[in-house]
Structures are given as structure tokens and as C-alpha cells.
Amino acid sequence: MTPYSPQPSAPLLAIRGLSKAFLGVQALDGVDFTLRHGEIHALLGENGAGKSTLIKTLTGVYRRDAGTVALEGREIAPRGVEEAQRLHIGTVYQEVNLLPNLSVAENLFLGRQPMRFGFVDRGAMRRRARAVLSGFGLSVDVTAPLGRFSVATQQIVAIARAVDMSAKALILDEPTASLDAQEVAVLFGVLRALKGRGIGIVFVTHFLDQVYAVCDRITVLRNGRLVGERRTEDLPRLDLVAMMLGRELEAAAHRIAADPAADTQAGTDARPPLVRFRGFGKARSVEPFDLDIRPGEVVGLAGLLGSGRTETVRLVFGMDRADRGEAAVDGRTLRLRGPREAIRLGFGFCPEDRKKEGIVGELSVRENIVLALQARQGWLRPIPRRRQEEIADRFIRLLDIRTPDAERPIQLLSGGNQQKALLARWLATEPRLLILDEPTRGIDVGAHAEIIRLIERLCADGMALLVVSSELEEIVAYSRRVVVLRDRRHVAELRGGEVTVDRIVSAIASEPVPAGPEGAPA
Amino acid sequence: MTLPLPGPAPGLLRALPQYGALAAVLLANWLLFPDFFSIRLQDGRLFGSLIDVLNRGAPVALLAIGMTMVIATRGIDLSVGAVMAIAGAVAATMTQAGWGLPAVLAASLGAGLLCGLWNGLLVALLRIQPIIATLILMVAGRGVAQLITEGQIVTFVSPGLAAIGSGSFLTVPMPVVITAALLAVTALLVRATALGLMIEAVGVNRLSSAGAGVNTPVVLVAVYVWCGLCAAVAGLIVTADIRGADVNNAGLWLELDAILAVVIGGTSLLGGRFGLLLSVVGAAIIQAMNTGILLSGFKPEFNLIVKAAVLLAVLLLQSPALTLLLPRPKGARPPLGPPLGPPLGPAKRESGSVKP
Amino acid sequence: MSRNWLTSAATAAATAMAALLIGLGSVQAADGKLVVGFSQIGSESGWRAAETKTAKAEAQKRGIDLKISDAQQKQENQIKAVRSFVAQGVDAIFIAPVVATGWDAVLKEAKEAKIPVVLLDRQIDTKDQSLYMTAVTSDTVHEGRVAGEWLAKQTGGTCAVVELQGTVGSSPAINRKKGFDEVVAKTPGMKIIRTQSGDFTRAKGKEVMESFIKAEDGGKRICAVYAHNDDMAVGAIQAIREAGLKPGKDILVVSIDGVPDIFKAMAEGEANATVELTPNMAGPAYDVLVAFKKDGKAPPKWIKTESALFTPDTAKAEYERRKDAY
Ligand SMILES: Nc1ncnc2c1ncn2[C@@H]1O[C@H](COP(=O)(O)OP(=O)(O)OP(=O)(O)O)[C@@H](O)[C@H]1O
Ligand SMILES: [Mg+2]
């Protein structure tokens, strides 16, 4: 494609010496960052490296302590999203901040609704909303409240809103975390088109393949400092990971490349299942399915977004009430009446939408970690403060949760570290069946490997796991069995040697495998 | 300069606006009325303006104790004033009808519990928004009380019941003793158990809490029931004090004072962290102000304006936005030049971490 | 204000039904008895209940057929009641108006039907004075004056008074203060040393009196308390007693209304005087109505009820006489 070339003397965005400290944390320390016209620039780093903070400080959501930001040579100091937008900088934050009660169309055009005779022109708004979204391959009822749709759809709406408004720069903080491969491909198409129009794009992600698929340049942060800026073609993958981790990555690389075959020997199938579902399902949610999970076994759930993966695990945990079929635990038939019942049976569940259904934002990391354990013990048997601190500290160390101390409100942790704290919440209850819905979403390479290793260790200790993930390699790496879903129906169950990415993909698609990379790490 | 530490700030420091405001109001009262702090014994009972503040503040303090926990769950209870009227009506009518004190107390507190249960069920099970759910009882409750008393002020003669309002225990007025006791019991109930954590968790994020296994309906019902109980105790005190149930006026608009006390005490209407003691301090601030106005000799026409002005000042002290008006930390905006002065009082500065 | 939502719902239904029943039957009593429809505000206080009760008793005394409709504090209910009275063709309509404004339309309907209207206990705001025949109310300024004059006489014209006002801005509070102030102005030795609002309630009356006592040297500088209603006086009496003083002796207590509890207090020597706001508003209204029907004599626009002063010597008997009426 022919690049846009107005040859401006100044770069699109020039950030110099940007610093930002929170109580006890130097989140950014004199960071430089340059975004040029017509480039896609990856901003990378471990969880807590300061990526989101850089973005929020740049757009003025946080007040900067020091540093300058120049837009095409002119110094700017926006004081928030709207002001940044007026400067033609569109941003999608990591936590989608849309209004779930308003319709999709209203969310897209909030604050800039098409007007007619002094009134909002709803018809025009709906038409334009449909047009904008169809550019992203999304056709939904734009008059329905946004909150009804999946995280992925909401994410696309947020991106579409920002893209539609950013004439100069577009900043995306982990936009692909909850998108499936096709949606990612569509997004990349849009990004390339924008780039062709000379727009500069900042792209934060933990998916290295995506970096190599679309990005021209890479900037890496570590512990709030700039590690360096490179052109993508000059930076081999291993060097990139080394830059991010700040150590030789043999260990990490080894873990990522864990041999899937080693884990797939059958032979434990003779053991009685821990849980057993027969004809389990719920109208308008998931078709009835059969599922057994044995102790020490990892069962993966694969499928496209909206294929019923999340719905399945929510039924298993009792978050949603099944209306047909039966469940048995340890061979005893019972009714799953809700999460409390499930927890009593030794289940644990890390939901997909951790901000809405996972963390208790204002409470401390310690309180978040002990919450499930405490709830199971009942309010009359409080866990002594000392014990709570021990538990919290143990898991902070074990999972390498980056926080100055256990008393920090969990909402102040970076996204990946929040996820680890949630994992800690369940590990503290020593569950027999742990259900993880997208456990590695938004988690950096290092932590990603750690979580996978942890999953393996847990099941070696006899814990059963049911894991939903969009990353097929990951599923293949640790699953003994994989259940594939399509259109809210369990369509295949692969076991042993059948567990390969190819088999999963062909089970997902009855027609030939959709074109495009599946996001496989090297 | 010492920096506020991350994590839970030392209790006293965090509560500085509240204690500071209380001290300021008391000081103002003392300036207006030099005998404000003088206390003497009168018929074996402490007697003085400061005692009046505590004694008259007791009903709102009691309401605030219950209200704090309701608000911590991100709820609100508008019905407490009406519940006071009901509890008072039950107590007065039964006493007049010749029932003994234990039965009267049991029935009256029971009525409060029942009202709380009603609110709690509407909120927890039917998932009606708390402001609407409790509005029902706020409006209907006074009607119920009127039905009980047939619209009249029901007076009674019962030294036992009257003692709850105007008796004393070791020279301390009974309402103050009762409030202190209920505060202690409540604090014990929530802080010595895990209930406090669960209340806060539910208030911050009900979905997450339920997902973590917290029994959210039970927690919600429990706080409304407790709030109803606190309101009933307050209603008993008010009724016992004037030896009569004045259902049209008992507790009228006190729900608003209680909510105000909780907010002054620093518990957010958005739920989450709560402080029982600070809510009681909030009630004391409101009452100190009321008593001050009465002592001052201002014309009654000024009462509401003076009250509003003082409240505005107290709430401004706590406003997070106020910190924005304070000088920015060094280096935030180079063109602005040096900071205008040292930051005021306890306002927290965002920056200032010490680099390792 | 909708205080009692539940009861109002219930009674609204009941009144509607009653109105229907009345509407069906022919109202004009065959025996030539006068038929009067009375739209009462409600029964929010003991005094109000007594007013209703007296209206019934006085009607019976005169052989008048009285139909009462309880409005549950709502003007719309009153308007409905008046319309239904007009439809029934009663001989006269009495209204105790819940608010002062908004009556013109419905009163015009009554006027067109040639049914005389008498306002009881409260006035209304209207440009067209012909819309009603007369209003029977007390003279609240006069009440304050009577209380003040009694106090001046009792203390020989030297007295430091604390005043418990009614709800700020309400017309009885303004007028009762005005009447009392007139006496204070012409009595050099009499002074109001403190005045605050006790909101017409016992609890506030007590609280305010407590602070007055503290502010005036333990009550030593207070000669008398003047309360705009008896309820506040009852609260004040408790405050005086709890401060170790003798109400009625160390501090004189004078108030207005004449509810049973103040007679009880007087009988016990703890209160000194009350000015009665008589609940008998209907009695004078019947009298002018009968006269009007007989010889068409139009009464004056404002009939003031008597503001009688009561003192402890008759208190016991008065208490007995009243306790059932309230
Ligand atoms: N509002 C805040 N208050 C206090 N500390 C914060 C706040 N926001 C972020 N931090 C801290 O600043 C550091 C950088 O966080 P940031 O969110 O920028 O990380 P990130 O690189 O985006 O990580 P992730 O990949 O996990 O999203 C973390 O240690 C985090 O705990
Ligand atoms: Mg981030």
C-alpha cells in the first residue's frame, strides 16, 4: 500500500520525559515516546509496566507530574477524554467505559449526536451506527442497550467510536483482549486503512503475533521506564521478550513452548469423575450437553465468541440456573442452586469480565483474596487478620502479584495483576474444581507462562480444571481433553492425540478453516 | 513533611475532617455561649448544654448507626422516620392499654424488626431499588402509626418506659447510654465477625461478591433489619422522652438527618467502606449545630440557613474535588511556575512517593 | 402532603363508595330537616377529631342531617366531596379547607346550584368573596393578645418571657406572636428574652425549652414561657421539671388551644393558663345557616369564635368534660 506522506517536520505525537507517581508507586519515570504519521506503534511491557498509565497521562485522565506532550510540534495538555478528542486523539481504554444502559447507537454518538431541528435525529443516528459497525463486520440491533451484548461486542463498539472520531491519532489499550481471531482480522483491516490515511495508532497488547502482524514499530516499557524503541523488522521475537522481561528468557520461552504431547496421555479415564453432567443445559443459553471432569484433569472449552463457552461454565458454577438435565458430584446427583452451593462443593470460578463480576474494586488486595474463603466459612467465623495477611502475602509471592502491599485497593492494580489476585482468591479456597474463563486475558508473556505452569501444577496436585480460552495453543498446551462449541452447542470432544489446533479449528468450522493466522506463538 | 502512607491511613488522620468539624462547631457554641461546657449534677443526672447535645443527638445517632450499614451496601433507608413513629405508637398504645414494660419493649422493637424485614425483602429478593422500596414504608408507615393511635397523641403514665427517655444510668442520660451500647454492639457485630467485610463487598460490587460466595440476600436483609431495629430504639426514646406518641411528628424528616450524619461521617452513598463511629460523630455535629442555634438567640428564621452553611463547610472539607483547587505538586505544569503555597491541612497529594 | 398513603388509599375507596350510596338515595329529607354536607380535612390531630365530633353533636342538637366526608389531607378529595354534595342537592356545604387556594371553580358550581357555603376554621384566598356565605374561624391574633393580657395581669406587668413559636412562617405562629407582642409593647416591664420555633410539637418544645433554661442561667431569669400551642407547652413543662424547677410556679406556663392534656397539667398545678381554640366551629355556622334559611338574613363574612381563657381552678372539670371529645 502507498503510505501517506505529507512529510511533516514534526512527529504526530512527541512525548518527552513523562512522569507519573501514585502513592507508593512510580508508574512512569521520564518516559519518551514518539508516534509518527501513518504508523502502527506497539506499546509493550509486562503487567504493571505503565502502559495504561502512559495513555491516561497523555490524554490527561491522570495529571502528569512532569514531561511534555507535543502534537505535530505544538505542546498540548488535554484534561481528559473529551479534550483529547477535540485535538483529534481518540482513545479506547483498557476498561471499556461506555454506558451499558444506553443503546449501541447512543454509545457510538454520545456527545455528538446527529441533530435535526434542535432534536436528536434518531433515525440518522441509527443508520450511521449501522454503517459504522458494518465496517467492523458487526450487525447487531443498534437500538438495544449495550449492556446486553458480550464484552467483545462492547469492545468493538468502543473501538468503532474512537476510530470514528480520531482524525489524527488513535490509541487502543488492549483492544483485542476479548476478540476472536476473525474480529481481530477485521480490526486489523480497519487499522491498516486508517494508517493509509496517515493516522498514527498506538496499540497495546500482550499478543506478540498481533504485534508482528500489524505493527511498524515497538516501544517497550519496564517498571515505568522506557527500555527502548525499535522497528518491528529489526527486533526478533526473543529479543522483544527479553526487553520486556529484562532477563534472558530461556526459562520463559521454554515454558511457552511446553510440549503439548507430553500432557496428553490417556489412562486416568478409569478414575470416577469428580463432576458429571448429563443433558445439562438452559433454554436460550446452551443446548443440553454431557460433560465429565475427573480429578487432576484439565478440560478445555474452545469455540468462537458467543459459541456458548461462557454460558457453559456459568451453568457449571451455578451462576446461571440450568433448567434441564442433571448434575452429579462424587457420584451424588444434586441441584446446583447457585455459586454458594458450588463453592461448598469445592468449585471456584474466575469470570470473564473481571471488572464487573470479579474484583471488588474498592477493597484491598488482601480482602479480595480472602473473600471466597471467608464467605465459605460464614460470617460467624472470621479469619483472623494475621491469618488473612499470611494468606495474601503467600499468594502475592506465589503468583508474583505486583503491588506495593496487600492493603492497596485492588482497582489500583494493573489489569493483569487483578487477574492474578482473583486466581489467588480461588486458590486460597483449595478448590477441587477450578473454572477459569479466559484466565490469561490481558496477562503478559511472563505471567502467562507462569499461569500455564500453575495450571499444570495444580492438576498434578489432583485439582480438576475447566478452562475457557480463545488462545488455541494455550488450550492445546495444557488440556487433556477439549470440548469444542459452536452455536451454543457442544459439537466435539477431542482427547489425547486428537488435541491439536488443527483438529479444534476444523471442529469449530464445519466448512474449511477460515483464512488468517490463528495467533500462534512461535 | 510526613506523607500519608498507602493502604489504610491511620484512623485519626483519615477522620480529621469529622473531628475537626465537631471541634469547630463546639468551639463556636462556646464562643456564642460561654457556659456551653459547664456541667453539673441535677437530681442525680448530668445537666448542661454539652449533655443536651449528646442526649438530643441520640435518636439521629441511632438512626445513623443502622443507616451506615444500609448505605455501605449501596442502599438507603428512607423509612426510618416512619418506623420511629410506628415503634413509638406501639409502645404508647400498649402501655396505655396496661401492658407491662417487657411486653411493650418486645412489641415495639419487634415492630421495628418487622419493618426492616419488609424493606430488606423488597430490596434483596424483589430487587427493588432501595430508594423506592423504602419510600413505600416511609409514606405508608406514618399512616400505619396513625391507624395505631387513631390519629391522636397517645400519652401514658409509666415510670419504667419514661426512664428510657429521661432517666439516667450512673448520672448519664439514658438515651446516651443506649446509643453507646447499641454502637458498641453493632461495632462488635460487624467488626468482630466477617459481616463488615461482606457488607462492604456487597456495597462495592454485588455481582462479584455473589460470585465469590457471599450470601448477598442475607447480608442485605440483615442490614435493613438492623436498621429497622435501630429506628425502633430511636422511636422508643423519643416517645418515652415526651411520654407520648406523637405520630405526626415523631421522627419526621429524621431520615434525612440520619443520611446526612452518615455522609458527614465519610461513608460514601456509593457503598463500600463505612465507619460507624464517624457516623455517630456526624450526628453529634448536626446536633451540636442545632443546640448552638437554639442557644445563640438567632431568630428562628435563620435556623435552616445557618445549618445549611455549616453543613456545606463540613462537606466541602471532605470533597475530593477540593484537592484539585489546592496547589499542584511541583512539576505538574511547568508554565504555571512554582506552587502557590504549601498544601492545606490533610489534603492528600497524589505524588510524593520516595523513589528507591 | 401525602402522609398516610395506605389509609388514604383505603378511605378514598370507602368515601367513593359512600358518595355513591348517598348519591343514589334522594337527599332532601322528606321531613324538612336541613341537610348539610361537611368536607372535613381529616383527623390529623386530636383537635380535628374533636371538631368533627362536636359538629355531629351540634347537628343532632338542632335536628340537622349532617353528612361528613373525610378528605385525608387532600384538596382533590375535598373538591370531589363538594361536587358530590352539589349533585345531591344538600341545603348547605361546610368546608374546612386543607389549603387556601384553588377553590374558585368548585365554589362557583355550588353558587350556581344556589347552595350556601360556610368555611370552617380556616380562610381561603379568593377574589370573589361572594363564593362563600361566611367563614367561622378563631381570631388567632386575639388569642395571642388574651394570653399576653392574662400574663401581664398575673405578674403585675413585670415578666421576662421565653416564647416557643409555632412552625416558622405558618399563619397561626405569625398571628399568635403578633397578638402577644402587642401586649408586650404596651407593658413596659414585660419582655420577650428568647424566642425560637418549637414546630408545634412536644419533642421540639421540650428541646428548645431545655436550651432556653441553660441559656438563662438554669432558668432563674425566666419568669414565664409562652407557647403557641399546648403541645409545646407540655414538652416545656417536662423540660422545666427535669431541670429541677417547678413548672407553674418557678416558671409560669401559658399557651393556646385548650387540649385535654394541658387541662390535666393545670389540674396538677404545672400549667397556669390556656386560651381555648374552640373545636365548636360548626355550632355558630348552623345558627347563621338556620337564620339565613328562615328569613334570608345574610351573616357577616367573618364569624369569630370566642377565645376563652381557662385557668387551673376549673381545670379538673374541664378535663373531664373534654377528654372524651378529643
Ligand atoms: N490510579 C492508580 N492509583 C495508584 N496506582 C496505580 C493507578 N493506576 C495504576 N497504578 C499502578 O501503576 C503501575 C502501572 O500500571 P498500569 O495500569 O499502567 O500497567 P499496565 O502496563 O497497563 O499493565 P497491564 O498490562 O496489566 O494492563 C501499577 O503498579 C499499578 O498498580
Ligand atoms: Mg493496562
Side-chain angles (χ1 to χ4, degrees):
Chain A
M1 98 189 47
T2 40
Y4 167 94
S5 48
Q7 308 299 345
S9 47
L12 178 52
L13 267 178
I15 295 170
R16 295 292 170 261
L18 199 64
S19 291
K20 174 72 197 171
F22 298 105
L23 291 176
V25 181
Q26 187 72 35
L28 286 180
D29 191 357
V31 172
D32 294 351
F33 180 80
T34 308
L35 179 67
R36 297 159 189 82
H37 289 90
E39 76 169 3
I40 304 182
H41 195 140
L43 180 60
L44 306 180
E46 285 184 278
N47 292 134
K51 306 179 294 290
S52 300
T53 307
L54 175 69
I55 289 167
K56 288 188 183 159
T57 312
L58 147 70
T59 52
V61 174
Y62 296 149
R63 217 188 300 151
R64 59 180 106 129
D65 298 343
T68 59
V69 178
L71 179 72
E72 295 178 331
R74 209 161 45 82
E75 249 194 58
I76 57 167
R79 270 166 304 180
V81 201
E82 279 104 62
E83 244 184 273
Q85 262 160 20
R86 255 176 271 130
L87 296 165
H88 305 297
I89 304 174
T91 317
V92 178
Y93 296 101
Q94 190 167 5
E95 314 81 30
V96 179
N97 277 324
L98 297 179
L99 303 167
N101 292 331
L102 295 188
S103 74
V104 172
E106 282 163 333
N107 267 293
L108 271 173
F109 293 105
L110 196 69
R112 50 185 195 117
Q113 299 95 332
M115 303 298 270
R116 207 162 128 221
F117 313 127
F119 292 98
V120 174
D121 184 350
R122 295 194 169 274
M125 191 161 88
R126 279 198 295 273
R127 277 192 303 280
R128 281 180 52 193
R130 277 191 213 105
V132 167
L133 291 181
S134 72
F136 284 84
L138 197 65
S139 72
V140 295
D141 177 6
V142 296
T143 58
L146 184 69
R148 290 242 196 96
F149 296 99
S150 70
V151 190
T153 307
Q154 298 187 23
Q155 186 79 43
I156 293 176
V157 171
I159 294 170
R161 175 181 163 88
V163 167
D164 201 39
M165 298 198 306
S166 41
K168 286 181 180 165
L170 173 62
I171 302 173
L172 303 171
D173 193 354
E174 300 199 32
T176 54
S178 50
L179 303 189
D180 67 20
Q182 273 157 313
E183 289 162 333
V184 169
V186 171
L187 175 66
F188 285 180
V190 174
L191 294 189
R192 288 196 187 97
L194 291 173
K195 169 176 141 179
R197 295 196 339 234
I199 291 174
I201 299 164
V202 179
F203 181 44
V204 178
T205 185
H206 290 293
F207 297 98
L208 300 189
D209 315 285
Q210 297 180 355
V211 172
Y212 284 96
V214 285
C215 296
D216 306 300
R217 217 177 277 271
I218 297 172
T219 291
V220 176
L221 299 182
R222 189 168 65 237
N223 291 334
R225 287 173 212 228
L226 176 67
V227 179
E229 189 205 81
R230 304 274 191 285
R231 293 178 59 82
T232 310
E233 60 252 41
D234 302 340
L235 186 65
R237 218 173 261 249
L238 286 185
D239 295 354
L240 170 58
V241 176
M243 271 177 92
M244 285 164 61
L245 298 184
R247 56 186 145 102
E248 281 314 310
L249 77 158
E250 280 162 79
H254 173 74
R255 272 186 254 125
I256 294 170
D259 180 319
D263 208 29
T264 47
Q265 274 106 33
T268 45
D269 275 21
R271 277 203 262 170
L274 171 64
V275 292
R276 178 187 183 87
F277 297 98
R278 284 295 172 268
F280 209 59
K282 177 174 161 70
R284 285 188 302 281
S285 175
V286 203
E287 297 288 312
F289 61 86
D290 296 349
L291 181 65
D292 293 350
I293 307 174
R294 294 182 174 72
E297 188 181 44
V298 184
V299 176
L301 286 181
L304 300 176
L305 268 172
S307 62
R309 304 175 313 188
T310 294
E311 288 79 357
T312 301
V313 290
R314 289 176 64 92
L315 282 188
V316 169
F317 191 63
M319 289 281 267
D320 297 334
R321 206 80 62 85
D323 59 8
R324 58 201 62 181
E326 64 176 41
V329 176
D330 294 326
R332 279 213 325 280
T333 306
L334 43 81
R335 303 186 60 176
L336 279 173
R337 275 187 303 259
R340 286 169 48 71
E341 173 98 11
I343 291 166
R344 213 174 41 74
L345 293 166
F347 294 9
F349 176 49
C350 286
E352 177 183 22
D353 188 341
R354 68 172 161 250
K355 187 180 173 193
K356 209 169 93 198
E357 299 183 340
I359 63 166
V360 184
E362 257 177 66
L363 298 194
S364 67
V365 175
R366 166 180 56 83
E367 286 165 314
N368 270 280
I369 290 179
V370 300
L371 187 60
L373 185 62
Q374 180 65 73
R376 195 175 63 187
Q377 285 200 3
W379 64 277
L380 275 174
R381 292 173 50 210
I383 305 171
R385 178 71 184 243
R386 284 282 302 281
R387 179 99 190 87
Q388 293 186 20
E389 283 164 6
E390 278 166 30
I391 294 173
D393 289 342
R394 181 154 62 87
F395 284 105
I396 287 172
R397 251 180 294 114
L398 185 72
L399 300 180
D400 190 21
I401 301 172
R402 305 277 169 88
T403 174
D405 60 74
E407 296 309 318
R408 167 159 290 232
I410 194 170
Q411 62 194 359
L412 300 186
L413 263 54
S414 78
N417 285 308
Q418 291 178 5
Q419 179 72 344
K420 291 193 208 167
L422 286 183
L423 209 55
R425 172 189 293 171
W426 293 112
L427 295 182
T429 67
E430 295 175 359
R432 296 203 294 159
L433 170 65
L434 185 55
I435 304 161
L436 307 174
D437 196 352
E438 299 286 3
T440 54
R441 171 174 302 164
I443 285 193
D444 65 52
V445 231
H448 195 259
E450 278 163 35
I451 284 183
I452 292 179
R453 202 180 36 163
L454 190 72
I455 288 178
E456 284 163 356
R457 208 170 71 212
L458 291 171
C459 72
D461 293 346
M463 188 186 292
L465 281 119
L466 180 61
V467 186
V468 173
S469 178
S470 307
E471 288 186 74
L472 298 185
E473 281 67 29
E474 185 186 307
I475 288 207
V476 167
Y478 50 64
S479 301
R480 176 154 293 134
R481 273 188 297 135
V482 173
V483 175
V484 181
L485 291 98
R486 190 180 61 231
D487 297 339
R488 308 184 171 277
R489 191 190 293 273
H490 291 213
V491 291
E493 185 170 321
L494 310 173
R495 56 184 67 222
E498 300 171 339
V499 178
T500 64
V501 172
D502 287 349
R503 292 291 291 264
I504 295 175
V505 170
S506 54
I508 289 175
S510 41
E511 67 241 25
V513 186
E518 261 306 322
Chain B
M1 186 178 138
T2 55
L3 288 164
L5 299 168
L12 220 64
L13 186 68
R14 204 180 35 191
L16 207 64
Q18 284 83 15
Y19 290 116
L22 182 59
V25 174
L26 292 179
L27 196 73
N29 285 356
W30 178 69
L31 290 177
L32 284 169
F33 178 59
D35 281 346
F36 184 75
F37 289 108
S38 74
I39 292 174
R40 63 183 162 92
L41 266 184
Q42 174 70 51
D43 301 336
R45 193 167 179 267
L46 291 176
F47 183 89
S49 292
L50 197 60
I51 301 301
D52 280 356
V53 170
L54 298 176
N55 194 25
R56 291 291 153 218
V60 171
L62 284 165
L63 296 183
I65 291 173
M67 187 72 78
T68 304
M69 290 190 296
V70 168
I71 287 180
T73 62
R74 191 175 258 218
I76 199 149
D77 189 347
L78 295 181
S79 72
V80 288
V83 174
M84 279 178 71
I86 293 178
V90 169
T93 336
M94 282 181 66
T95 305
Q96 204 190 37
W99 291 81
L101 189 59
V104 167
L105 293 185
S108 172
L109 298 182
L113 290 173
L114 220 60
C115 291
L117 187 67
W118 162 264
N119 285 332
L121 292 178
L122 290 187
V123 171
L125 297 188
L126 301 188
R127 293 182 161 255
I128 300 177
Q129 290 182 8
I131 195 166
I132 302 300
T134 59
L135 185 66
I136 296 173
L137 193 55
M138 174 188 179
V139 178
R142 217 162 271 285
V144 171
Q146 281 168 343
L147 283 181
I148 297 173
T149 61
E150 289 163 354
Q152 307 178 16
I153 298 183
V154 176
T155 55
F156 55 83
V157 184
S158 157
L161 185 53
I164 290 175
S166 39
S168 63
F169 178 76
L170 299 177
T171 76
V172 181
M174 204 55 120
V176 182
V177 175
I178 293 173
T179 307
L182 201 66
L183 174 65
V185 169
T186 311
L188 209 69
L189 207 60
V190 295
R191 297 303 183 196
T193 70
L195 204 56
L197 171 67
M198 304 202 166
I199 289 171
E200 292 178 343
V202 170
V204 174
N205 191 334
R206 186 162 161 184
L207 265 181
S208 292
S209 304
V214 176
N215 198 337
T216 50
V218 167
V219 170
L220 286 173
V221 170
V223 295
Y224 283 93
V225 165
W226 196 255
C227 190
L229 180 77
C230 290
V233 174
L236 267 175
I237 286 179
V238 167
T239 302
D241 184 38
I242 60 166
R243 294 169 184 75
D246 181 359
V247 295
N248 290 316
N249 297 303
L252 192 65
W253 307 128
L254 282 200
E255 55 276 344
L256 298 184
D257 276 4
I259 293 167
L260 198 62
V262 174
V263 172
I264 291 177
T267 299
S268 160
L269 287 177
L270 296 178
R273 298 283 186 210
F274 66 91
L276 288 171
L277 182 60
L278 285 185
S279 295
V280 172
V281 171
I285 292 173
I286 295 176
Q287 186 58 43
M289 214 155 58
N290 285 342
T291 304
I293 289 170
L294 293 181
L295 287 171
S296 68
F298 288 150
K299 278 186 152 190
E301 285 79 359
F302 290 117
N303 290 2
L304 298 176
I305 296 169
V306 172
K307 204 169 152 180
V310 175
L311 287 176
L312 188 66
V314 174
L315 293 176
L316 272 180
L317 265 181
Q318 300 179 32
S319 155
L322 198 71
T323 49
L324 295 181
L325 301 177
L326 298 175
R328 284 158 178 241
K330 163 167 70 88
R333 286 279 173 84
L336 273 181
L340 303 169
L344 293 173
K348 288 189 194 130
R349 296 172 58 170
E350 264 193 316
S351 73
S353 71
V354 187
K355 262 180 259 169
Chain C
M1 193 175 32
S2 54
R3 276 207 178 132
N4 33 9
W5 183 81
L6 207 122
T7 38
S8 59
T11 40
T15 16
M17 204 120 87
L20 203 72
L21 288 178
I22 297 168
L24 288 177
S26 167
V27 177
Q28 211 58 43
D31 49 5
K33 261 166 105 180
L34 275 180
V35 180
V36 174
F38 178 17
S39 169
Q40 175 61 293
I41 293 178
S43 53
E44 76 280 4
S45 66
W47 185 89
R48 186 68 61 193
E51 184 189 34
T52 308
K53 230 178 243 179
T54 323
K56 282 182 196 155
E58 295 288 319
Q60 209 165 23
K61 229 193 277 175
R62 293 170 174 81
I64 290 171
D65 190 0
L66 181 67
K67 302 184 178 306
I68 298 180
S69 161
D70 183 340
Q72 296 292 329
Q73 316 292 329
K74 287 211 182 80
Q75 185 180 30
E76 71 188 79
N77 289 347
Q78 291 203 297
I79 291 176
K80 269 186 217 141
V82 171
R83 290 223 165 97
S84 113
F85 289 142
V86 171
Q88 293 160 34
V90 295
D91 295 307
I93 296 172
F94 290 3
I95 306 173
V98 64
V99 291
T101 52
W103 294 102
D104 288 21
V106 71
L107 290 189
K108 235 168 242 154
E109 289 170 34
K111 189 179 170 187
E112 274 155 23
K114 299 207 163 49
I115 300 175
V117 170
V118 180
L119 306 176
L120 297 189
D121 159 46
R122 297 182 187 183
Q123 300 275 5
I124 61 169
D125 284 346
T126 176
K127 288 210 182 63
D128 185 357
Q129 297 292 321
S130 74
L131 288 180
Y132 63 92
M133 181 169 79
T134 181
V136 183
T137 76
S138 72
D139 180 348
T140 40
V141 178
H142 186 59
E143 288 165 355
R145 213 179 287 129
V146 172
E149 270 157 8
W150 175 84
L151 191 59
K153 201 168 117 228
Q154 191 73 13
T155 57
T158 318
C159 187
V161 185
V162 295
E163 181 184 34
L164 296 172
Q165 298 187 24
T167 307
V168 176
S170 68
S171 80
I174 293 168
N175 291 340
R176 285 174 179 177
K177 178 166 182 50
K178 191 169 152 207
F180 194 85
D181 283 350
E182 283 173 17
V183 180
V184 171
K186 66 178 191 209
T187 317
M190 217 161 140
K191 219 169 58 198
I192 294 179
I193 52 174
R194 281 187 179 260
T195 176
Q196 251 296 347
S197 167
D199 268 339
F200 282 132
T201 72
R202 288 187 187 204
K204 281 291 275 179
K206 184 171 180 181
E207 180 180 349
V208 174
M209 192 64 199
E210 279 177 1
S211 73
F212 283 173
I213 291 171
K214 308 266 158 37
E216 297 300 334
D217 194 16
K220 289 193 203 85
R221 290 198 294 261
I222 304 174
C223 138
V225 52
Y226 163 52
H228 286 187
N229 78 348
D230 291 339
D231 278 332
M232 290 191 290
V234 170
I237 288 169
Q238 291 179 9
I240 297 169
R241 208 192 300 125
E242 282 166 23
L245 300 172
K246 289 205 180 58
K249 298 197 177 57
D250 296 332
I251 297 177
L252 302 179
V253 180
V254 54
S255 54
I256 300 174
D257 269 0
V259 302
D261 281 346
I262 201 73
F263 285 102
K264 204 159 124 206
M266 281 199 285
E268 287 160 7
E270 296 196 318
N272 306 82
T274 184
V275 181
E276 188 191 39
L277 166 66
T278 177
N280 184 14
M281 298 280 164
Y286 294 138
D287 291 342
V288 296
L289 180 67
V290 170
F292 174 73
K293 287 279 173 191
K294 218 166 83 201
D295 41 335
K297 193 173 95 132
K301 270 286 165 211
W302 184 16
I303 299 171
K304 295 179 198 173
T305 57
E306 194 196 354
S307 302
L309 183 101
F310 290 85
T311 48
D313 27 300
T314 56
K316 195 152 171 41
E318 291 293 333
Y319 176 67
E320 292 303 325
R321 198 163 64 77
R322 267 158 236 264
K323 72 175 191 230
D324 294 324
Y326 277 77

